[in-house]
Amino acid sequence: RYSEERIEQVAVSGDLGGPPPTTTTASATFKEFTPRVLIDWQPTDNNLIYAIFAQGQKPGGFNGSLAIEAGQPTFAPETVDSYEIGSKNTLLDGALTANLSLFYNNIEGYQLTQTVFLPPNRISSIVNAGDANIYGAEFELIMRPSDNLTLTANYSLADSRFRNGVDENQGVLDDVADDGLVNCSTGDQFPDSAGCQSLFGSIDGKRIPRAPVSQIFADIDYRTELGGSGWEFFTGANVTMISKSFAQVHNLIDTGGSVVADARIGF
């Protein structure tokens, strides 16, 4: 697979009552090959073993007009190399399905929203904050004790962390941690510029924001025909449990875990 995308943006910015508005033009072209290779082997009619390698891309783009003026007009694509191995199995004459997969994703140029200081304003922009790894696994069981009853259970794990990268707000937190002041005690990010800008802080080892580590899903479903009427009665319920995730890359505020239960009945 090959994709090519060209983006051009014309931004006009100005203050009411101030000088005439200024126009800023920026353009960028993003090109990417994203191959996918799949190998599978079926030792029996009921067992499949497979391996997948794939590359993907989240395209780059433009920030707002103030970020363009601040020298951050665009952000680069976010790319991923994805590796997965797994097995799909049908057991007990079709009464049980058991699937297992293990995966690893290598992400480069992870896109995050960060702040940029453009005196006198502090604005948001999307930047390529760093690179990340995701290690994961998924296990699924589907049981059919009878023609009318189906039980499903699923567990997924995705441990996602940055392996390198920096963040401006993390730098401020590091600066404040020693004496409670923003005074560049950890270093000055822009020593040649007037004033003090805290040295950007490392986010190595931080979890990716809004990405829970684990999720559990369980479902029970019962269905039966109502005589020869052509109607079917069904009922069931399921529950989803999701672990906490962090709101921001600093990993200081989390959402807490969640449990959602649903029930259904009908004809």
Side-chain angles (χ1 to χ4, degrees), residues 187-264:
D188 193 339
Q189 182 70 28
F190 306 110
D192 296 332
S193 301
C196 169
Q197 169 66 64
S198 301
L199 185 69
F200 288 4
S202 171
I203 56 174
D204 294 9
K206 301 288 188 183
R207 293 194 184 276
I208 292 178
R210 300 174 296 280
V213 175
S214 60
Q215 178 172 317
I216 299 173
F217 173 80
D219 180 88
I220 180 171
D221 184 85
Y222 176 80
R223 296 172 182 269
T224 184
E225 292 186 8
L226 296 178
S229 64
W231 286 72
E232 181 185 64
F233 168 78
F234 66 88
T235 185
N238 61 63
V239 61
T240 302
M241 294 175 284
I242 303 176
S243 66
K244 72 178 183 181
S245 61
F246 291 103
Q248 295 177 310
V249 72
H250 323 297
N251 291 182
L252 296 177
I253 303 173
D254 67 70
T255 62
S258 66
V259 178
V260 178
D262 297 291
R264 59 190 179 272

Side-chain angles (χ1 to χ4, degrees), residues 29-118:
T29 300
F30 306 103
K31 305 176 182 179
E32 191 72 22
F33 283 98
T34 52
R36 182 175 184 268
V37 179
L38 168 64
I39 300 174
D40 64 62
W41 174 51
Q42 194 165 358
T44 72
D45 291 340
N46 297 318
N47 305 96
L48 175 72
I49 300 172
Y50 67 90
I52 301 174
F53 168 75
Q55 291 183 326
Q57 181 198 69
K58 182 180 180 181
F62 282 101
N63 288 306
S65 58
L66 290 178
I68 293 176
E69 293 179 21
Q72 292 189 353
T74 65
F75 49 94
E78 174 185 313
T79 61
V80 60
D81 291 339
S82 175
Y83 305 84
E84 180 179 346
I85 59 174
S87 175
K88 298 180 181 294
N89 306 278
T90 302
L91 309 169
L92 303 177
D93 294 326
L96 176 64
T97 299
N99 302 324
L100 172 66
S101 64
L102 305 173
F103 62 88
Y104 166 70
N105 292 338
N106 173 28
I107 301 176
E108 295 187 356
Y110 195 94
Q111 297 170 0
L112 273 183
T113 299
Q114 295 184 341
T115 57
V116 178
F117 185 54
L118 179 64

Side-chain angles (χ1 to χ4, degrees), residues 115-155:
T115 57
V116 178
F117 185 54
L118 179 64
N121 301 312
R122 191 170 288 274
I123 59 177
S124 295
S125 67
I126 298 175
V127 300
N128 299 96
D131 304 326
N133 295 326
I134 302 176
Y135 297 90
E138 185 168 357
F139 182 60
E140 181 182 39
L141 283 176
I142 303 175
M143 295 160 280
R144 304 174 184 87
S146 69
D147 293 338
N148 306 101
L149 183 63
T150 302
L151 307 174
T152 303
N154 179 282
Y155 173 74

